[in-house]
């Protein structure tokens, strides 16, 4: 996770705490909204992601749902951790690029394709 947090911090010019919070928010969102098998494959490819998801759920409890639908729900989850609109876009693009490098295009494609509006957002 350190590699991903550093990448997001550098790209979006945010501190590590906000980058970590963003990763956790995205993992919680994906765990709830994306296909279980694809998310499992992604987490297998990202060392520390399962612990980050566990920590996020322990910190915030199980989410009831996300404000909005599809990509807008992810957007709201990221702004809730303190990211601006431009930071959300940078973090999302960088996280997906990292995920493609580690888990492959097929896995990321299954995740992105399952979330309405995400392709247009990124």
């Amino acid at each position: 996770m350190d590699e991903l947090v550093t990448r997001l911090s550098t790209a979006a010019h945010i501190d590590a705490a906000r980058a970590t919070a963003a990763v956790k928010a995205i993992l919680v969102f994906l765990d709830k909204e994306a296909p279980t098998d694809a998310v499992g494959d992604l987490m297998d490819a990202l060392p520390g992601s399962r612990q980050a998801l566990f920590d996020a759920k322990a910190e915030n409890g199980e989410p009831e749902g996300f404000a909005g639908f599809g990509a807008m729900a992810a957007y709201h989850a990221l702004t809730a951790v303190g990211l601006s609109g431009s930071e959300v876009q940078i973090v999302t693009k960088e996280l997906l690029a990292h995920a493609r490098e580690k888990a492959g295009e097929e896995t990321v494609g299954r995740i992105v394709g399952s979330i309405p509006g995400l392709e247009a957002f990124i």
Side-chain angles (χ1 to χ4, degrees):
M1 290 305 300
D2 292 339
E3 179 184 358
L4 176 57
V5 167
T6 299
R7 181 176 180 158
L8 299 180
S9 294
T10 301
H13 305 289
I14 58 176
D15 60 39
R18 284 198 303 154
T20 299
V23 170
K24 288 179 178 179
I26 291 169
L27 290 174
V28 168
F29 174 79
L30 294 178
D31 184 58
K32 185 134 178 101
E33 302 294 327
T36 303
D37 61 330
V39 173
D41 291 346
L42 175 64
M43 287 204 232
D44 288 345
L46 299 176
S49 60
R50 289 188 192 280
Q51 185 63 49
L53 176 61
F54 177 82
D55 292 346
K57 287 181 176 181
E59 293 163 8
N60 303 314
E62 287 286 332
E64 293 293 320
F66 292 90
F69 178 74
M72 287 309 297
Y75 178 85
H76 289 295
L78 291 170
T79 58
V81 299
L83 299 184
S84 69
S86 62
E87 290 168 342
V88 168
Q89 191 169 23
I90 293 166
V91 163
T92 304
K93 284 182 179 182
E94 287 297 320
L95 187 139
L96 290 173
H98 184 77
R100 283 184 183 98
E101 293 166 11
K102 302 297 184 182
E105 183 63 44
E106 181 183 336
T107 296
V108 175
R110 289 189 345 245
I111 292 169
V112 170
S114 72
I115 299 170
L118 187 57
E119 284 185 32
F121 187 76
I122 56 172

